[in-house]
């Protein structure tokens, strides 16, 4: 910062840098989106301008901050994305896309942009993968003037590194078709058999690390927010993870995790912590699968929906689940419009087989498998897709219906033939051979039936 004719590094009061500050700096420099910032510690103390970080948060320019003359061994390194930015979104990882070409910013037309391109942009600005990508979400004043169509492969590090070609014409892009983008939070749960349980990790500066919150204070609101962000249902518990050792973490303020707030606006601090925390969400289990196999099918085949059985055949229903946790049980729930019944078997090798003898009409209805397991001191369950079973007298009622329709069509056809022959006969006189006409009509009935 230049102040009193002197350029010096900037330090913030109480080292309280957050992403909003970085956003303000990148915007003030007409660089793109704020990507990240890190504290750099110099070997020696030197003069800095110390500012109140509040004077940047409000979106005002650095010029209005009155700096204090100080010495510090700390400063901040900031990375802005240079030539792409998202504007008018609710946080730095969402908004209308603008690209800087030839020293000016312009929107991009939807038709010149696809998911691969979106991946590159989200990565370039230090956010998670794209979650929404569509036009007209974030206000635009005029039709985008984007003149290039981007042809990213998805792995490039910057949008302007992607190959591109001249767009097929600027007139074909009307207002409301500028690309709007929402990138997700860069968090994950690791170390457990489910993506909805485990140690919370955050990707920052291209590095996944466990998350530590100030004062190690985790509350259920934060856990609920994490579960929701990961699409994992509701919060079940949070506990200290068993493994404990000093290792690098990203330290964040606990309010960064509160529901409604965007983790993307938080600037994690480099730190070490001894203990990490494990989060458990209700959507822990994957969905079980349900299969039907029957004696009449010869080989046992699993079919997911709308299965038919021949009356009297033996059949079985198998429930299984991708291995996540040992043990547990499967409950098979059978329901018709006026009746519900269930039976339970222990899960062996992550599956259970329910055997039935002689299928009858009473077996018609809807079957579902529910897997129950007790882990992390809680009961969890997850339910399969429904399997609708019908029991028929003939092998296939659909085949019956088709043949019935064919016969009816055939009869209709031959009826028409007879009708027109009869009319012609009336006109041409009584000397025609009625017996011949009759057999031809029958022949046509056989033909139709064969079809
Ligand atoms: C860049 O802008 C200058 C002046 O506005 C113009 O002459 C030039 O053609 C532009 N270049 C491109 C590639 O659009
Ligand atoms: C992207 O372009 C920059 C220069 O503009 C170059 O340094 C960098 O290596 C490129 N990266 C890729 C992945 O092409
Ligand atoms: C269910 O309803 C059907 C007729 O709708 C009836 O035939 C059947 O006996 C009923 N089953 C039970 C268990 O009540
Ligand atoms: C399962 O059956 C038992 C009795 O056999 C009953 O108490 C229970 O409510 C049933 N559960 C479901 C989900 O239908
Ligand atoms: C368990 O199932 C797997 C395949 O799903 C199979 O390879 C293995 O032999 C089974 N083990 C037992 C004890 O049935």
């Amino acid at each position: 910062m230049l102040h009193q004719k002197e350029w010096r590094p900037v330090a913030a009061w109480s080292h309280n840098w957050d992403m909003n500050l970085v956003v303000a700096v990148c915007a003030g420099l007409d660089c793109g989106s704020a990507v990240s910032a890190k504290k750099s510690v110099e070997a020696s103390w030197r003069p800095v301008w110390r500012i109140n970080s509040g004077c940047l948060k409000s979106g005002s320019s650095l010029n209005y901050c009155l700096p204090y003359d100080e010495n510090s061994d700390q400063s901040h390194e900031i990375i802005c994305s240079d030539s792409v930015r998202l504007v008018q979104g609710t946080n730095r990882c969402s908004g209308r896309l603008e690209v800087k070409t030839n020293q000016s910013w312009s929107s991009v037309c939807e038709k010149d942009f696809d998911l691969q391109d979106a991946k590159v942009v989200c990565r370039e600005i230090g956010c998670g993968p794209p979650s929404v990508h569509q036009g007209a979400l974030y206000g635009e004043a005029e039709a985008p003037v984007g003149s290039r169509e981007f042809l990213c492969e998805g792995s490039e590090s910057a949008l302007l590194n992607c190959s591109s070609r001249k767009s097929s014409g600027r007139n074909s892009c009307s207002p409301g078709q500028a690309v709007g983008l929402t990138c997700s939070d860069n968090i994950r749960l690791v170390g457990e058999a489910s993506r909805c349980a485990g140690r919370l990790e955050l990707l920052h500066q291209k590095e996944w690390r466990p998350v530590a919150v100030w004062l190690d204070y985790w509350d259920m609101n934060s856990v609920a927010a994490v579960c929701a962000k990961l699409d994992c249902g509701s919060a079940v518990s949070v506990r200290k993870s068993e493994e404990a050792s000093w290792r690098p973490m990203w330290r964040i303020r606990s309010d960064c995790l509160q529901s409604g707030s965007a983790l993307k606006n938080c600037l994690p601090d480099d730190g070490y912590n001894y203990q990490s925390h494990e989060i458990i969400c209700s959507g822990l289990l994957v969905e079980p699968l349900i299969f039907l196999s029957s004696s009449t099918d010869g080989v046992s085949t699993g079919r997911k929906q709308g299965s038919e059985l021949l009356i009297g055949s033996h059949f079985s229903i198998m429930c299984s689940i991708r291995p996540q946790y040992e043990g547990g049980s499967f409950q098979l729930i059978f329901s018709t419009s006026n009746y519900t019944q269930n039976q339970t078997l222990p899960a062996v090798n992550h599956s259970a087989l329910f055997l039935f003898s002689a299928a009858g009409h009473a077996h018609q209805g809807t079957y579902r498998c529910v897997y129950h397991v007790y882990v992390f001191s809680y009961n969890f369950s997850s339910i399969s897709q429904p399997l609708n079973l019908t029991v028929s007298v003939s092998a296939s009622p659909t085949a019956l219906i088709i043949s019935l329709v064919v016969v009816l069509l055939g009869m209709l056809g031959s009826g028409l033939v007879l009708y027109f022959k009869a009319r012609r006969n009336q006109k041409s006189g009584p000397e025609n051979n009625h017996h011949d006409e009759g057999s031809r009509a029958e022949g046509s009935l056989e033909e139709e039936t064969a079809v």
Side-chain angles (χ1 to χ4, degrees):
M1 177 178 186
L2 178 65
H3 181 64
Q4 293 171 350
K5 298 186 180 150
E6 200 183 333
W7 285 103
R8 292 189 190 173
V10 171
W13 283 110
S14 66
H15 308 298
N16 193 13
W17 283 77
D18 70 7
M19 217 55 195
N20 294 328
L21 212 96
V22 182
V23 168
V25 171
C26 291
L29 291 169
D30 196 30
C31 296
S33 289
V35 176
S36 74
K38 66 177 179 193
K39 206 184 294 174
S40 55
V41 178
E42 310 283 331
S44 63
W45 287 69
R46 48 182 187 159
V48 296
W49 295 125
R50 187 176 294 284
I51 59 164
N52 184 343
S53 59
C55 73
L56 277 182
K57 267 185 197 163
S58 56
S60 60
S61 108
L62 260 177
N63 300 337
Y64 297 104
C65 299
L66 184 62
Y68 295 80
D69 189 359
E70 277 207 1
N71 284 319
S72 174
D73 65 344
Q74 289 191 353
S75 58
H76 269 82
E77 258 174 50
I78 287 179
I79 300 173
C80 313
S81 62
D82 195 26
S83 51
V84 296
R85 67 181 184 191
L86 299 179
V87 297
Q88 289 173 17
T90 50
N91 60 60
R92 67 178 194 90
C93 295
S94 71
R96 174 160 47 82
L97 174 64
E98 290 193 337
V99 180
K100 194 184 202 175
T101 39
N102 211 4
Q103 299 311 310
S104 69
W105 292 97
S106 56
S107 300
V108 173
C109 190
E110 256 196 318
K111 68 175 172 47
D112 296 333
F113 197 79
D114 66 12
L115 185 64
Q116 300 310 314
D117 306 331
K119 280 185 191 163
V120 173
V121 170
C122 287
R123 185 181 312 116
E124 184 174 2
I125 62 178
C127 300
S131 50
V132 185
H133 150 226
Q134 65 186 104
L137 274 182
Y138 307 99
E140 67 192 282
E142 54 196 50
V145 291
S147 55
R148 300 219 68 81
E149 177 185 354
F150 294 98
L151 305 164
C152 299
E153 284 167 8
S155 57
E156 296 89 344
S157 55
L159 186 63
L160 293 187
N161 284 39
C162 298
S163 57
S164 66
R165 63 168 171 239
K166 200 145 181 61
S167 180
S168 43
R170 50 193 284 175
N171 293 334
S172 58
C173 196
S174 52
Q177 290 184 330
V179 171
L181 198 57
T182 301
C183 313
S184 57
D185 273 315
N186 257 351
I187 55 170
R188 65 181 185 191
L189 297 174
V190 298
E192 287 298 336
S194 166
R195 63 169 204 91
C196 294
R199 190 175 66 233
L200 179 62
E201 288 193 348
L202 172 70
L203 178 66
H204 179 62
Q205 290 170 356
K206 304 198 169 119
E207 203 181 325
W208 285 103
R209 291 189 190 175
V211 169
V213 296
W214 287 106
L215 303 174
D216 264 352
Y217 177 69
W218 289 82
D219 65 2
M220 285 311 264
N221 286 341
S222 310
V223 178
V226 169
C227 292
K229 279 179 212 281
L230 290 171
D231 203 10
C232 283
S234 53
V236 173
S237 78
V238 57
R239 56 175 199 180
K240 286 193 170 127
S241 92
E242 276 159 18
E243 44 164 343
S245 60
W246 284 100
R247 52 188 163 161
M249 306 253 172
W250 294 124
R251 191 179 293 286
I252 58 173
R253 301 185 319 269
S254 65
D255 60 355
C256 288
L257 288 176
Q258 300 291 296
S259 59
S261 88
L263 195 52
K264 311 158 194 183
N265 283 350
C266 291
L267 182 61
D269 232 327
D270 207 350
Y272 275 78
N273 217 36
Y274 185 66
Q275 190 90 50
S276 63
H277 282 76
E278 261 192 350
I279 284 177
I280 315 286
C281 308
S282 66
L284 186 78
L285 298 174
V286 296
E287 190 182 287
L289 300 173
I290 185 165
F291 300 98
L292 174 75
S293 46
S294 77
S295 52
T296 47
D297 273 357
V299 263
S300 296
T301 52
R303 263 176 279 155
K304 252 187 141 183
Q305 275 179 2
S307 300
E308 289 166 16
L309 277 183
L310 189 59
I311 196 160
S313 59
H314 298 277
F315 70 104
S316 58
I317 290 178
M318 162 121 111
C319 300
S320 78
I321 191 162
R322 202 182 75 212
Q324 282 182 292
Y325 301 100
E326 286 308 314
S329 61
F330 283 100
Q331 184 185 27
L332 184 66
I333 299 182
F334 169 65
S335 56
T336 64
S337 55
N338 55 358
Y339 180 65
T340 296
Q341 192 188 5
N342 69 81
Q343 47 180 312
T344 299
L345 285 177
V348 178
N349 206 7
H350 311 286
S351 58
L353 192 61
F354 296 86
L355 298 169
F356 298 85
S357 54
H361 291 298
H363 291 119
Q364 293 194 124
T366 303
Y367 294 80
R368 282 175 208 268
C369 296
V370 185
Y371 178 65
H372 299 276
V373 70
Y374 182 79
V375 278
F376 303 114
S377 316
Y378 291 88
N379 283 314
F380 292 87
S381 60
S382 93
I383 189 163
S384 73
Q385 296 292 315
L387 181 139
N388 298 312
L389 185 67
T390 52
V391 176
S392 61
V393 192
S394 125
S396 160
T398 26
L400 244 189
I401 290 168
I402 289 171
S403 46
L404 194 67
V405 165
V406 165
V407 167
L408 283 174
L409 279 176
M411 284 168 72
L412 183 67
S414 51
L416 283 175
V417 167
L418 283 175
Y419 173 74
F420 284 115
K421 295 287 178 192
R423 274 175 66 107
R424 210 179 59 202
N425 291 348
Q426 269 178 9
K427 280 181 187 155
S428 55
E431 64 271 24
N432 278 311
N433 189 330
H434 284 259
H435 177 73
D436 268 10
E437 296 295 334
S439 59
R440 271 170 66 186
E442 261 174 41
S444 89
L445 173 65
E446 275 157 20
E447 258 172 51
E448 295 287 333
T449 315
V451 166

